[in-house]
Amino acid sequence: MKTVLVTGGAGFIGSNFIYYLLRTHPEDRVVCVDCLTYAGNLSTLKDAMENPHFVFYKTDICDRDGIDRIFTVEKPDIVVNFAAESHVDRSIESPEVFLRTNILGTQVLMDACRKHGIERYHQVSTDEVYGDLPLDRPDLMFTEETPIHTSSPYSASKASADLLVQAYARTYGLPVSISRCSNNYGPYHFPEKLIPLMIANALNDKPLPVYGEGKNVRDWLYVEDHCRAIDLIMREGRPGEVYNVGGHNEMQNIEIVKLICDYLHKPYDLITYVKDRKGHDMRYAIDPTKIHRELGWLPETPFRVGIVKTIDWYLNHREWWETIISGEYRNYYERMYGNR
Ligand code: NAD
Ligand code: DAU
């Protein structure tokens, strides 16, 4: 029986990970720490709250005393850090909070791990730390050896955190691991990101804002496959190692948007090409050979299955996302898309 402390568990991937853990390791205790920013939603954890093996703390990962108290009480064996500011567009608008949470928050957590002792600290990182790849070189993919080369304040903050995690491993001998995953999709994805935004707008017959020419490529992975990878790495991955996680599922943004229109029987007329994102990464593609070879991980959900499950989830959980898009999101949307 392990106590697993999950930060950022009220967000998209963290909440999916909590449900994955409660389902696949019912003997473990799961402690969630989340300060509930605009991206954190307590209603997402409604079912987990009823599980006696689950406990929730509304705490900021940058709050050193608060984090120390939680470690003292809960004595986690494993810490998995999902808590982050995660949206590239917001990082372009206001970088500061990204540096605070993504870098300093990581430091606070690792200091608590050093003080209290843990079996493993796992950092949930991203393929964006590798920068981007050209569209005309499909042979190129990110490996764990690809140099760090960041584009946005978001990716720079995540890369900085990764370097700090590696420094804590080397300097203090902290048993760490890092996963760098490609774009996830699935339930509880905040509707500021491409797939849920397009689903929500299409369902409301609103314009579908595609950046630039829509030719940018992302390597999409169903969120549950990512959760399974993290669970494997934190328990069986070699300490000190980085593991890339990806689905071998590269698609252009415009293909995704058209697919959503087709499934929902919405006209392509809704598609509106808008001003491109500043510094927009062209293509991401992950080589997941290492995690496959060492831990036997492979993606299990084909995109055609995962995307239908995802769209159906949004159709069946209108209340979840309609509540979200009626709050702070409206101001954000106006700022981001109003004059684009
Ligand atoms: P998200 O924005 O949906 O959720 C982030 C969560 O962290 C929210 O619940 C928020 O309240 C919480 N949080 C933010 N700042 C906090 C703080 N200071 N203290 C405590 N909690 C805080 O993000 P996501 O898409 O679920 O991403 C989770 C992690 O996975 C991030 O580290 C991200 O960089 C990484 N990642 C995401 C993707 C993706 O496609 N979404 C892919 C690879 C890696
Ligand atoms: O690759 C992993 C990363 O994937 C994670 O680290 C990030 O946390 C996560 O947000 C995601 O970053 P992206 O920038 O790739 O995701 P986003 O959903 O914001 O955009 C996906 C693509 O769609 C990107 O090329 C920009 C484009 N886009 C996005 C939005 C929101 C549009 O064309 N229109 C939009 O309105």
Side-chain angles (χ1 to χ4, degrees):
M1 188 278 246
K2 305 250 182 240
T3 297
V4 184
L5 189 148
V6 178
T7 70
F12 165 44
I13 310 178
S15 60
N16 277 281
F17 185 69
I18 285 171
Y19 285 118
Y20 179 85
L21 279 186
L22 293 173
R23 205 168 57 245
T24 56
H25 299 276
E27 71 288 359
D28 284 354
R29 290 185 64 246
V30 180
V31 178
C32 175
V33 175
D34 197 302
C35 71
L36 302 178
T37 66
Y38 77 91
N41 196 332
L42 211 47
S43 77
T44 301
L45 293 173
K46 191 165 41 76
D47 293 340
M49 296 289 190
E50 282 160 25
N51 189 317
H53 285 228
F54 177 79
V55 56
F56 178 83
Y57 289 90
K58 183 176 182 309
T59 302
D60 189 324
I61 60 165
C62 301
D63 171 1
R64 210 165 260 283
D65 294 340
I67 292 295
D68 188 64
R69 275 195 297 277
I70 296 170
F71 272 67
T72 305
V73 173
E74 301 293 348
K75 302 181 177 43
D77 301 296
I78 300 174
V79 174
V80 192
N81 183 23
F82 289 93
E85 290 293 334
S86 69
H87 192 32
V88 173
D89 290 326
R90 288 189 191 248
S91 83
I92 295 167
E93 202 188 31
S94 339
E96 195 164 333
V97 66
F98 283 74
L99 308 190
R100 179 183 175 275
T101 291
N102 299 2
I103 307 173
L104 297 179
T106 299
Q107 185 209 0
V108 167
L109 290 171
M110 289 195 297
D111 284 343
C113 290
R114 283 181 60 211
K115 179 174 167 195
H116 293 269
I118 38 94
E119 283 173 24
R120 178 62 62 93
Y121 172 86
H122 183 77
Q123 177 75 359
V124 182
S125 184
T126 167
D127 62 356
E128 297 205 13
V129 302
Y130 299 123
D132 64 349
L133 296 164
L135 284 183
D136 60 357
R137 289 291 308 274
D139 55 310
L140 294 181
M141 288 196 273
F142 298 136
T143 72
E144 290 80 1
E145 272 25 275
T146 302
I148 300 286
H149 187 87
T150 57
S151 311
S152 67
Y154 162 70
S155 56
S157 69
K158 293 294 289 183
S160 305
D162 283 11
L163 295 177
L164 198 60
V165 171
Q166 287 169 326
Y168 269 56
R170 165 114 184 202
T171 305
Y172 305 116
L174 195 70
V176 303
S177 44
I178 297 176
S179 51
R180 294 183 180 145
C181 189
S182 57
N183 288 62
N184 285 214
Y185 67 101
Y188 301 117
H189 204 179
F190 195 88
E192 66 189 352
K193 308 283 171 62
L194 179 77
I195 288 183
L197 183 144
M198 295 300 165
I199 297 172
N201 280 17
L203 286 172
N204 286 332
D205 297 307
K206 284 181 61 182
L208 307 176
V210 172
Y211 298 168
E213 294 177 25
K215 292 195 173 140
N216 304 63
V217 169
R218 297 293 183 263
D219 179 357
W220 294 94
L221 181 71
Y222 192 61
V223 63
E224 198 174 306
D225 282 328
H226 186 192
C227 294
R228 189 164 40 82
I230 293 171
D231 188 46
L232 266 175
I233 297 167
M234 75 186 198
R235 291 174 204 269
E236 296 170 31
R238 287 184 293 137
E241 293 293 314
V242 174
Y243 293 89
N244 282 355
V245 184
H248 278 309
N249 184 62
E250 291 179 51
M251 292 179 77
Q252 290 191 333
N253 295 338
I254 189 67
E255 291 178 78
I256 305 252
V257 177
K258 286 187 172 167
L259 200 150
I260 291 170
C261 289
D262 292 344
Y263 189 73
L264 293 173
H265 303 294
K266 297 290 178 181
Y268 290 169
D269 293 359
L270 286 177
I271 297 172
T272 314
Y273 292 91
V274 299
K275 196 163 146 223
D276 211 349
R277 174 184 278 175
K278 289 191 176 83
H280 198 172
D281 281 340
M282 213 56 226
R283 169 175 167 250
Y284 302 147
I286 280 276
D287 176 355
T289 305
K290 181 174 173 181
I291 186 170
H292 175 53
R293 208 184 43 232
E294 289 190 17
L295 301 173
W297 180 90
L298 279 176
E300 283 177 2
T301 312
F303 187 77
R304 61 177 189 286
V305 174
I307 193 69
V308 165
K309 271 169 113 169
T310 303
I311 301 175
D312 285 345
W313 188 89
Y314 281 84
L315 280 167
N316 295 327
H317 294 80
R318 276 194 98 110
E319 203 190 320
W320 183 86
W321 58 268
E322 276 176 348
T323 311
I324 287 170
I325 64 176
S326 66
E328 183 264 4
Y329 185 81
R330 278 212 184 135
N331 297 333
Y332 162 80
Y333 200 90
E334 190 44 43
R335 277 199 323 273
M336 203 53 76
Y337 296 94
N339 293 316
R340 204 150 181 159

